[in-house]
Amino acid sequence: MNINLVKFIVPCIDSIIAKNFYKRIFGFGSIKEEDKTIIVKINNTLKFKLEECEDYINNHYIFEVDEEYFKFIISNIKKEKLYFGDDINNLENKKIKKTSTKNEIYFIDPNSHLFQIYSKISFNPQ
């Protein structure tokens, strides 16, 4: 079976603030803007639909990225002096969780959604 998630609705208090945040931190670009709804391209197949609403729940988004992109995200988070942490219960210690298989961080976006970003570590025997 072939199944792909192609669009995910991200509830927002302010879709413009969310769009700009995702652009600065992740490099995501918007591809469509109407009223208070913005479509943001994550990659060739996945898009976020940033949709403003008054009542919403906070979501937990988990992304696996390559090592280079992980460093790019960390660099942008540090440039903006944002809080991040190495544990879901410690989002302000500004540490990266490092194991033998992956690097990982957690942080909160402007709409209080929790992001978990990790990169599998490539084994490179010397």
Side-chain angles (χ1 to χ4, degrees):
M1 172 177 33
N2 182 14
I3 184 169
N4 293 307
L5 179 63
V6 295
K7 191 183 296 183
F8 193 87
I9 296 173
V10 178
C12 299
I13 295 169
D14 187 315
S15 58
I16 302 230
I17 288 173
K19 172 193 79 165
N20 291 334
F21 178 82
Y22 297 147
K23 182 178 183 174
R24 290 190 319 270
I25 299 302
F26 296 104
F28 298 163
S30 61
I31 56 175
K32 184 177 178 184
E33 297 187 30
E34 297 181 352
D35 298 321
K36 295 183 178 188
T37 301
I38 299 172
I39 307 288
V40 176
K41 183 177 180 180
I42 309 303
N43 59 29
N44 289 335
T45 57
L46 180 60
K47 297 167 187 70
F48 272 176
K49 181 178 181 184
L50 310 177
E51 198 170 90
E52 289 186 20
C53 55
E54 291 182 26
D55 297 321
Y56 71 92
I57 59 169
N58 304 50
N59 292 317
H60 182 166
Y61 302 104
I62 304 168
F63 286 99
E64 178 184 332
V65 300
D66 63 32
E67 292 177 64
E68 186 177 317
Y69 192 47
F70 186 84
K71 291 174 186 174
F72 172 81
I73 293 168
I74 290 290
S75 172
N76 290 338
I77 287 172
K78 288 179 177 179
K79 266 191 250 176
E80 298 231 357
K81 298 182 171 94
L82 299 175
Y83 287 115
F84 67 93
D86 61 352
D87 186 88
I88 198 166
N89 296 311
N90 193 346
L91 301 172
E92 298 181 0
N93 66 10
K94 296 190 177 186
K95 293 181 181 178
I96 298 170
K97 181 178 185 177
K98 296 182 181 207
T99 67
S100 62
T101 59
K102 69 180 178 178
N103 291 328
E104 184 173 34
I105 61 163
Y106 299 83
F107 65 94
I108 303 290
D109 82 349
N111 287 291
S112 299
H113 298 300
L114 175 64
F115 278 78
Q116 179 179 351
I117 311 293
Y118 71 91
S119 171
K120 291 184 180 175
I121 296 173
S122 302
F123 180 68
N124 194 4
Q126 304 270 331

